[in-house]
């Protein structure tokens, strides 16, 4: 397995320079590892995009990450008129970064734009439950749902951001990606697509439950190589890095020159398998015994213990345990090499077979998984792609096996993950109509017990059929200079409003 080493040059430097560089200029220098395809929050699905979304834009509602209490943000109150109609009173006196006043016209325009599938919002599941929005008066709107959707408040507190109607009508997603405009605590002053983003504190920010920003400027650069990030952290060019591999975080913590914080996340890692035969009817993964063999071939406990560490845990369900409806009483596959080989033989592959295996992140994890598959006779042709490229490949023609992760946009509801990938959409590799039907019933029921029952049915079949091989939950390591104060939250959202200088 590939190991990450702290560069010798970095070790020779002191952290003193980095301590003063950011604080003295009131500029927090941050690294992103993954290239962000588009800053427009509706046209990317990456964690980096979620981080910028929460900084630059606001939703109508806010969920406190510590208490899970829903609070008013751009809306001050809301009530259900009926099962498919939500009325919201809007906050007055809010102004977008470009000077446009916020009111009902912005909500109506945003909702009607993103709810229209032809406009191509990247993650349809975040918005396709909405039918339309209606203006009642300048500061009152109604959002009409296509069907009852109990998770609506949760989604309105997360990925559904409000955009300025006049600006967005003219700029569109491409213009918003280059010159983002929101109502959030930070405004964007510079974008070098995929590489460099500069945010400045928005002095006109309203009285939001997100809190007022303290740090004046946040300078974000995309630096894919972790060793390069480390060198810059030591040299003083960076003040904060995150998603740091566990072994490296441990070494940094032992040095005592930086603050190292570990926190759990809602993100899980899993394998997708081509059960539907999207890559060809002769795909070995159309056989349930092959899929079960894959599940038995991987030592998930060893992956968590040796690689992820921290607050990660083994996962057996196609969701995160805290999410509403995420039944844990499903089939779990113990690590058993002999059982895996026997299942392959039963399926007609006594000598194994060769398959393409894709991943987009965490090469070390993916290579470890590949080694487990190789050990039972599944010879992997490993291919590492950019996230956007792999996503497009899977949407278009599927992939035999791919290592994926999903953080559910930090939405604490099973609909944000299981329904995203098992309702016959372009990223559904199972194409099981029965599972999709149960998820439809769970997503639209207003009775929590009915939702629980149907999610349970879907999750049990997904596990029995090994449509996915869930493996582990993620934790995130944050490393920052002693002059930065920050307490991470379990939802994997890097919140710049929660950061300050000592």
């Amino acid at each position: 397995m590939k190991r990450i080493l702290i560069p010798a040059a970095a070790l020779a430097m002191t952290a003193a320079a980095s301590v003063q560089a950011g604080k003295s200029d009131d500029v927090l220098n941050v690294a992103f590892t993954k290239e962000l395809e588009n800053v427009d929050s509706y046209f990317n699905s990456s964690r980096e995009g979620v981080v910028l979304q929460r900084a630059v834009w606001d939703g109508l509602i806010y969920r406190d990450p510590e208490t899970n209490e829903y609070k008013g943000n751009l809306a001050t109150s809301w009530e259900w008129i009926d099962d498919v109609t939500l009325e919201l009173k809007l906050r007055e006196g809010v102004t977008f970064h470009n000077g446009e006043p916020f009111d009902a016209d912005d909500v109506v325009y945003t909702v009607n734009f993103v709810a229209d599938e032809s406009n191509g919002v990247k993650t349809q599941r975040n918005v396709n439950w909405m039918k339309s929005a209606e203006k009642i008066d300048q500061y009152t709107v109604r959002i009409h749902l296509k069907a009852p959707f109990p998770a609506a408040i949760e989604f309105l507190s997360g990925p559904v951001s409000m955009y300025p109607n006049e600006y967005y009508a003219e700029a569109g997603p491409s213009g918003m990606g280059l010159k983002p405009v929101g109502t959030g605590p930070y405004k964007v002053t510079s974008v070098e697509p995929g590489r460099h983003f500069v945010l400045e504190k928005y002095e006109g920010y309203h009285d939001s439950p997100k809190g007022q920003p303290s740090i004046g400027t946040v300078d974000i650069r995309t630096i894919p190589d972790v060793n390069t990030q480390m060198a810059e952290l030591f040299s003083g060019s960076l003040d904060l890095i995150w998603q740091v591999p566990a072994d490296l975080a441990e070494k940094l913590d032992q040095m005592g020159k930086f603050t190292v914080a570990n926190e759990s996340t809602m993100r899980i890692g899993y394998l997708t398998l081509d059960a539907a035969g999207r890559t060809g009817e002769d795909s070995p993964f159309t056989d349930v015994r092959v899929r079960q063999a894959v599940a038995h071939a991987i030592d998930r406990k060893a992956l968590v213990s040796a690689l992820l560490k921290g607050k990660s845990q083994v996962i057996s369900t196609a969701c995160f345990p805290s999410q509403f409806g995420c039944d844990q009483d499903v089939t779990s596959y113990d690590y058993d090499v002999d059982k895996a080989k026997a299942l392959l033989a039963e399926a007609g592959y006594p000598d194994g077979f060769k398959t393409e295996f894709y991943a987009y992140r965490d090469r070390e994890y993916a290579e470890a998984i590949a080694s487990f598959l190789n050990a039972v006779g599944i010879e992997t042709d490993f291919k590492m792609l950019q996230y956007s490229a792999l996503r497009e490949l899977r949407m278009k023609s599927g992939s035999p096996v791919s290592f994926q992760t999903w953080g559910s946009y930090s939405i604490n509801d099973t609909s944000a993950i299981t329904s995203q990938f098992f309702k016959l959409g372009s990223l559904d590799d199972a194409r099981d109509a029965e599972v999709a039907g149960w998820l439809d019933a769970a997503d639209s029921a207003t009775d929590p017990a009915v939702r629980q029952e149907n999610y349970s049915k879907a999750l049990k079949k997904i596990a029995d059929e090994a449509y996915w091989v869930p493996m582990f939950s993620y934790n995130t390591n944050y490393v920052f200079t002693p002059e930065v104060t920050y307490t991470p939250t379990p939802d994997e959202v890097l919140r710049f409003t929660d950061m300050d200088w000592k």
Side-chain angles (χ1 to χ4, degrees):
M1 270 178 265
K2 179 183 176 183
R3 308 303 295 174
I4 297 173
L5 302 175
I6 300 177
L11 286 168
M13 300 175 185
T14 67
S18 63
V19 168
Q20 297 302 322
K23 181 178 180 181
S24 61
D25 296 333
D26 197 20
V27 177
L28 182 76
N29 297 286
V30 180
F32 279 177
T33 302
K34 189 169 63 181
E35 182 175 318
L36 182 62
E37 55 197 290
N38 189 336
V39 179
D40 187 322
S41 66
Y42 290 111
F43 290 88
N44 73 73
S45 57
S46 69
R47 180 56 42 172
E48 289 79 2
V50 174
V51 169
L52 286 183
Q53 179 229 358
R54 303 300 170 90
V56 178
W57 290 281
D58 286 311
L60 295 169
I61 300 169
Y62 177 78
R63 176 166 61 81
D64 188 305
E66 295 182 0
T67 66
N68 288 324
E69 177 188 0
Y70 294 113
K71 301 176 180 180
N73 194 358
L74 291 179
T76 56
S77 64
W78 54 92
E79 65 173 331
W80 288 100
I81 303 302
D82 54 47
D83 286 349
V84 292
T85 309
L86 181 66
E87 184 171 287
L88 303 102
K89 297 293 184 181
L90 305 180
R91 189 182 299 273
E92 300 183 28
V94 176
T95 304
F96 285 96
H97 301 154
N98 65 348
E100 285 188 39
F102 166 77
D103 60 19
D105 292 331
D106 302 297
V107 178
V108 170
Y109 183 89
T110 301
V111 170
N112 289 343
F113 179 87
V114 301
D116 183 347
E117 188 174 351
S118 67
N119 286 323
V121 169
K122 182 68 71 173
T123 303
Q124 282 291 314
R125 184 64 194 161
N126 288 344
V127 296
N128 65 6
W129 52 274
M130 296 183 289
K131 179 181 179 181
S132 63
E134 171 191 5
K135 178 180 178 179
I136 304 303
D137 59 42
Q138 187 176 4
Y139 293 104
T140 307
V141 295
R142 287 184 178 179
I143 296 178
H144 301 283
L145 282 58
K146 293 178 180 177
F149 186 59
I153 302 302
E154 177 70 16
F155 276 74
L156 288 174
S157 71
V160 182
S161 303
M162 292 299 113
Y163 282 9
N165 66 316
E166 294 176 15
Y167 177 73
Y168 203 51
E170 178 181 347
S174 59
M176 184 66 90
L178 292 173
K179 294 184 178 180
V181 174
T183 62
Y186 282 91
K187 61 182 180 180
V188 180
T189 59
S190 176
V191 171
E192 187 178 348
R195 300 181 63 185
H196 191 194
F197 316 98
V198 180
L199 316 181
E200 289 185 3
K201 178 169 62 175
Y202 180 38
E203 298 293 350
Y205 192 48
H206 64 275
D207 184 20
S208 165
K210 288 183 178 180
Q212 293 296 317
S214 176
I215 294 176
T217 301
V218 180
D219 191 300
I220 304 167
R221 286 179 294 129
T222 302
I223 306 174
D225 181 67
V226 177
N227 285 329
T228 303
Q229 290 186 18
M230 281 307 311
E232 294 210 22
L233 186 67
F234 275 87
S235 71
S237 299
L238 287 174
D239 301 296
L240 183 149
I241 60 177
W242 63 313
Q243 299 174 331
V244 179
D247 56 348
L248 184 54
E250 287 179 346
K251 293 176 183 176
L252 291 170
D253 196 27
Q254 292 169 2
M255 292 172 61
K257 292 183 177 181
F258 301 100
T259 302
V260 179
N262 176 270
E263 186 51 82
S264 62
T265 77
M266 203 176 290
R267 180 174 300 276
I268 69 169
Y270 56 93
L271 292 186
T272 67
L273 304 174
D274 186 19
R278 298 180 65 199
T279 59
E281 293 182 0
D282 59 347
S283 169
F285 301 104
T286 59
D287 191 315
V288 64
R289 293 168 296 186
V290 172
R291 301 194 300 271
Q292 291 171 339
V294 170
H296 281 299
I298 300 168
D299 190 344
R300 298 174 297 164
K301 291 181 180 178
L303 290 172
V304 170
S305 176
L307 296 180
L308 285 101
K309 304 181 182 180
K311 297 184 179 180
S312 290
Q313 58 184 301
V314 170
I315 295 292
S316 297
T317 51
C319 48
F320 183 73
S322 75
Q323 291 177 308
F324 177 87
C326 189
D327 189 354
Q328 301 300 294
D329 185 21
V330 302
T331 299
S332 181
Y333 298 87
D334 294 333
Y335 176 52
D336 191 331
V337 171
D338 292 337
K339 179 67 172 177
K341 290 181 176 180
L343 284 166
L344 289 175
E346 288 177 22
Y349 302 98
D351 299 320
F353 58 88
K354 186 174 182 178
T355 183
E356 293 178 331
F357 173 41
Y358 293 89
Y360 74 92
R361 63 176 285 172
D362 301 319
R363 177 183 286 273
E364 190 175 19
Y365 302 173
E367 289 178 343
I369 293 165
S371 70
F372 284 124
L373 296 178
N374 294 338
V376 299
I378 302 176
E379 183 182 349
T380 55
D381 178 12
F382 180 61
K383 299 178 185 293
M384 193 83 176
L385 300 181
Q386 291 286 338
Y387 174 74
S388 57
L390 180 53
R391 180 185 173 92
E392 293 305 316
L393 172 68
R394 294 188 59 235
M395 290 176 68
K396 183 178 180 180
S397 57
S399 61
V401 190
S402 70
F403 171 55
Q404 299 287 321
T405 78
W406 192 249
S408 297
Y409 284 85
S410 301
I411 293 169
N412 203 29
D413 194 274
T414 294
S415 63
I417 179 169
T418 316
S419 299
Q420 168 72 20
F421 296 105
F422 287 96
K423 289 180 68 171
L424 311 180
S426 60
L427 290 170
D428 184 351
D429 292 314
R431 305 295 169 98
D432 187 319
E434 187 174 39
V435 169
W438 286 326
L439 292 173
D440 277 333
D443 290 346
S444 60
T446 55
D447 185 341
V450 174
R451 297 191 75 209
Q452 290 271 17
E453 177 185 2
N454 283 281
Y455 282 135
S456 179
K457 290 178 180 178
L459 291 166
K460 287 179 184 297
K461 186 172 186 183
I462 290 168
D464 290 343
E465 295 290 330
Y467 287 143
W468 270 10
V469 181
M471 288 182 291
F472 44 70
S473 66
Y474 272 74
N475 66 79
T476 297
N477 290 302
Y478 305 78
V479 181
F480 40 95
T481 66
E483 292 301 312
V484 175
T485 63
Y486 180 54
T487 301
T489 52
D491 57 5
E492 201 188 2
V493 177
L494 198 62
R495 288 183 168 84
F496 302 126
T497 49
D498 290 349
M499 301 178 189
D500 203 348
W501 305 112
K502 283 187 181 177

